[in-house]
Amino acid sequence: MTKPIFVLNGPNLNRLGMREPEIYGRTTLAEIEGMCRDAAGDHPIRFHQSNIEGEIVNWVHEAIDDGAGILINPAGLSFISIPVLDALKMFPGPIVELHISNIHRREEIYHRSLVSKVATGVIAGLGAAGYPLAIRWLMDQVDRYYRHA
């Protein structure tokens, strides 16, 4: 059985499509989930969103035990969450950190992501289109890993 890719979304991302559309666009999180599932094809996806830090940590723990890769948009937790950082440090596979907006073009408070320190790669500023790109890259990495394992 193929291990799933975990797609984890942090606080306020449940409000996509309505929240500051000039920054985050009009695509909803449900539409992003569909984009991820389309990009993954038959590869299993575990798609989650929470406004609660501890739930995200728990999902990273599940990914440590059962996942092939992690795509995480930690949102505001990127800049403050030591617990999310520590959980991600334990994950043995590839991790993509994703931000819908280009965090480096925004206010200074958004420039230093803790998650970037442990991410294999970072996508920022590509809007919702970054999600399927990340899924395809993760699937390629997972295929390479299991081919050589």
Side-chain angles (χ1 to χ4, degrees):
M1 180 171 173
T2 305
K3 290 184 170 192
I5 293 172
F6 280 65
V7 181
L8 307 178
N9 295 279
N12 299 310
L13 293 172
N14 57 310
R15 305 296 292 174
L16 286 175
M18 299 174 285
R19 175 187 178 214
E20 298 177 281
E22 67 281 0
I23 295 174
Y24 301 107
R26 297 210 178 272
T27 306
T28 67
L29 192 60
E31 291 169 325
I32 289 172
E33 180 176 1
M35 294 164 67
C36 289
R37 292 191 186 283
D38 288 347
D42 292 335
H43 197 105
I45 297 281
R46 297 268 314 270
F47 195 94
H48 299 289
Q49 185 279 328
S50 181
N51 296 318
I52 301 169
E53 179 182 44
E55 285 186 325
I56 293 169
V57 170
N58 286 339
W59 290 323
V60 173
H61 290 176
E62 287 180 30
I64 292 165
D65 296 334
D66 301 325
I70 296 175
L71 166 53
I72 185 167
N73 182 343
L77 295 175
S78 306
F79 316 104
I80 62 166
S81 181
I82 300 296
V84 170
L85 170 67
D86 286 345
L88 288 168
K89 283 179 179 179
M90 294 183 271
F91 185 72
I95 300 168
V96 174
E97 176 187 10
L98 185 139
H99 296 280
I100 292 170
S101 68
N102 182 347
I103 60 175
H104 303 290
R105 292 186 70 184
R106 299 192 57 201
E107 299 88 346
E108 183 73 27
I109 194 169
Y110 297 111
H111 292 185
R112 293 187 182 269
S113 169
L114 296 172
V115 173
S116 295
K117 308 262 186 246
V118 295
T120 310
V122 178
I123 296 174
L126 300 182
Y131 279 84
L133 292 172
I135 292 292
R136 286 192 287 275
W137 184 84
L138 282 165
M139 287 178 24
D140 181 61
Q141 296 305 302
V142 168
D143 287 346
R144 287 179 195 211
Y145 174 80
Y146 285 109
R147 208 176 358 206
H148 294 100

